[in-house]
Amino acid sequence: MADDAESKHGGGKNGKKEGLSGSSFFTWFMVIALLGVWTSVAVVWFELVDYEEVLGKLGIYDADGDGDFDVEDAKVLLGLKERSVPAQPPSPDSEETIQPAEKSYVESEHKNADIELEEEIQSVLHEALHSQPDADFLADDLGAVESEPYEAPVSYEYDMDVEKTVTDPEAPDDRVHGDYNEDHEPKHEKQAETEDADEIIEDFDTDKDLSVESKHTEDVVATEPEESEMPAQAEDYSNDDLVGKSEKETEQDKTEKAKKKKKPKLLNKFDKTIKAELDAAEKLRKKGKVEEALRAFEALVNQYPQSPRARYGKAQSEDDLAEKMRSNEMLQKAINTYDEVVSLPNVPSDLIKLSLKREADRQQFLGRMRGSLVTLQKLVQLFPGDTSFKNDLGVGYLLIGDNSNAKRVYEEVLSLAPNDGFAKVHYGFILKAENKIAESIPYLKEGLESGDPGTDDGRFYFHLGDALQRMGDKEAYRWYELGYQRGHFASVWQRSLYNVKGLKAQPWWTARETGYTELVKSLEKNWKLIRDEGLAVMDKKRSLFLPEDENLREKGDWSQFTLWQQGRKNENACKSVPKTCALLERFPEATGCRRGQIKYSIMHPGTHVWPHTGPTNCRLRMHLGLVIPKEGCRIRCAQENRTWEEGKVLIFDDSFEHEVWQDAGSYRLIFIVDVWHPELSAQQRRTLPAI
């Protein structure tokens, strides 16, 4: 029994343990471990394995775009996890709110892989030109840089059906006759890159906010409307289906989605031989190491001057650096380099498209509309079957005010693609600018209902609603409601597009609420002086009152005589009314309001002014009654009507819908004074761009 017990514990009869002892086992373990360490050192020291080659081969299995092959990549390749596309985080400086409808344009979908590449990339390419710029610098020829980004930009500036506010051709006035001007405070685009498993370098950069409607020149306030701001109709449109595709997808819808799967090919045969070098430079750019990336691409261009992809990478790096430096000089270099890409031999067609698209976009950003138009014309000539490029060309014509050529282009697009929503909304806009109100409605409506990229824009909702109102169709408020739900309007009634968010919003104000009591007292105290100087100007043979020519009147006669606009004094006009101008000089909230005017306004009997809104929520409007008939004159703001009194001031927020009737037997003369919204800070008043 003792022997058995001893055996169980590993002992022998002579008192020694049989087999390996604990110390012997530890010794062998250490020997093996040291051999492994020295073997690893030898492999590295004597370069027995080419790690760059190994990592390069494994890199093709990098399915999640993190730069290496790991467990997550294996899951993707085995079908246990969907391939992820890293997205660039939004800029903390941007206050812009991206709506779900806009985000959907950059989300990838599962589609058929056998669709032709040429068809697949068109929607992305089409959107890339119109993506919202978001750098905080301005073109040298467009004005000074704002100190703080109070406002979020809008891609284009359509002039709304609002009272005439300025005559400066560079300022966004309130015309309805079809001016289609570039935003005066654009911000440089940031790019978000997508990566694929097998060829990082061939993935092209798309702009983070791809939709044309991707924002207003200022933050659009999406606050809940007050009860007094709800539509006049009893109908509740909040449960109506938003415009867009129906729930049941048609076969055509599925086919169109399937076209967007395959990525474009940006490498020619030679570039494929230097792909590793291109990848390394591109990775630096995607990591935000802009200066290093630019140096890397410049070295590649010097070494391989015929490489289109290296030169395109150089252009992108210059583009990124321009944003970082807030430099238009650097941006011009990027534009030149994009143009150089196209001039090289054997450039893949997809790379030509991306280069010219980006070149045109950057030219527009710098205010070089005609140069951009030439670039867009080149695109159309190279790819005549691509209707998206024709759509872009139409926008190019609109940006220089050439509505007739834009109309011709969109007619051509619609003849080739009758259901093109982008072409429809723009064609409808042009028809409305021509005062073909009834004809414009179906194009605007069908274009919005299409849900196509570039159609979900507040200005199209604005113009469709306005057209319906002028036709007496109460469906206008349904579209205003939809525009509000989409975040384009602050409320159904407050439909200005140049807004600073957070400002108090109500249709009517009292002098005490504004804080401008001294100004109001001065106007009311001196109203007869202001009236008499105005009447003297009216009595002159050569009248200084200019007719309202912005298509705001259904009928009648309405003229204005402007003393200040955009915060600039009209010296010649003030010579005719010197006492009035001297009186106003004491009140910088009025004379310094660069988003408003000071003017006389005369309206004759039989005049009706259509419902309309001002362009911005940054001002309030004062009306001083000078010559007011006893009956027949009234103004509606939102849902409340009021009348003028001689010597009394009415104050309202003209970013709310308002309408005027003059059914008296004689003329009505008032004095209009715009003032900054009282809640704007001193710095905002200094830096907000003029309107």
Side-chain angles (χ1 to χ4, degrees), residues 201 277-286 290-304 309-317:
I201 199 67
E277 296 172 79
L278 292 168
D279 283 345
E282 180 67 6
K283 182 151 287 189
L284 288 172
R285 194 181 72 83
K286 291 183 177 182
V290 183
E291 293 87 350
E292 294 179 46
L294 180 55
R295 287 194 293 269
F297 277 116
E298 284 176 338
L300 289 173
V301 169
N302 291 332
Q303 187 175 358
Y304 311 113
R309 184 60 183 87
R311 202 167 297 260
Y312 181 70
K314 177 175 179 281
Q316 288 182 303
S317 300

Side-chain angles (χ1 to χ4, degrees), residues 263-278:
K263 55 187 175 59
K265 301 299 181 183
L266 307 184
L267 302 181
N268 61 18
K269 290 183 179 179
F270 173 75
D271 280 339
K272 289 180 181 179
T273 67
I274 61 169
K275 179 180 179 299
E277 296 172 79
L278 292 168

Side-chain angles (χ1 to χ4, degrees), residues 90-104:
S91 168
D93 295 331
S94 174
E95 297 179 7
E96 182 174 340
T97 302
I98 300 178
Q99 301 303 316
E102 295 165 354
K103 291 180 180 178
S104 66

Side-chain angles (χ1 to χ4, degrees), residues 358-528:
R358 187 63 177 175
E359 180 184 351
D361 175 67
R362 300 295 79 197
Q363 287 171 317
Q364 288 180 7
F365 171 72
L366 288 180
R368 287 151 195 175
M369 303 306 173
R370 295 192 180 276
S372 174
L373 189 63
V374 171
T375 304
L376 292 170
Q377 288 171 336
K378 186 187 298 185
L379 262 174
V380 170
Q381 290 169 0
L382 290 172
F383 306 100
D386 193 321
T387 56
S388 72
F389 294 148
K390 287 184 169 65
N391 279 336
D392 297 336
L393 180 61
V395 171
Y397 280 121
L398 287 172
L399 287 173
I400 64 171
D402 189 350
N403 284 23
S404 60
N405 267 321
K407 184 178 182 181
R408 174 185 57 78
V409 169
Y410 289 123
E411 286 174 343
E412 182 180 347
V413 172
L414 291 172
S415 68
L416 297 172
N419 295 320
D420 190 308
F422 186 88
K424 281 186 174 182
V425 289
H426 285 80
Y427 190 66
F429 165 78
I430 295 170
L431 290 175
K432 185 169 180 290
E434 294 175 346
N435 208 29
K436 297 177 180 178
I437 306 300
E439 293 178 45
S440 72
I441 290 174
Y443 287 100
L444 289 166
K445 185 182 293 186
E446 291 170 15
L448 283 171
E449 288 173 342
S450 74
D452 287 350
T455 60
D456 186 23
D457 187 291
R459 292 155 297 187
F460 297 131
Y461 289 92
F462 184 103
H463 281 291
L464 175 56
D466 181 72
L468 289 167
Q469 277 185 307
R470 296 190 183 201
M471 297 301 296
D473 191 337
K474 291 186 177 181
E475 189 187 4
Y477 286 95
R478 173 178 176 269
W479 288 96
Y480 291 148
E481 174 69 27
L482 289 172
Y484 163 61
Q485 290 179 20
R486 289 289 178 92
H488 300 307
F489 306 138
S491 74
V492 173
W493 293 108
Q494 190 179 23
R495 301 190 299 273
S496 55
L497 295 178
Y498 293 78
N499 301 317
V500 170
K501 65 182 179 183
L503 299 181
K504 182 177 181 180
Q506 62 187 43
W508 294 99
W509 290 65
T510 65
R512 184 181 297 274
E513 286 175 323
T514 68
Y516 300 135
T517 53
E518 290 303 314
L519 171 59
V520 173
K521 288 178 182 178
S522 181
L523 291 173
E524 293 183 343
K525 179 180 178 181
N526 296 281
W527 75 274
K528 290 184 179 180

Side-chain angles (χ1 to χ4, degrees), residues 665-676:
S666 59
Y667 68 83
R668 179 225 67 178
L669 179 66
I670 62 173
F671 191 58
I672 298 175
V673 179
D674 289 336
V675 293
W676 285 117

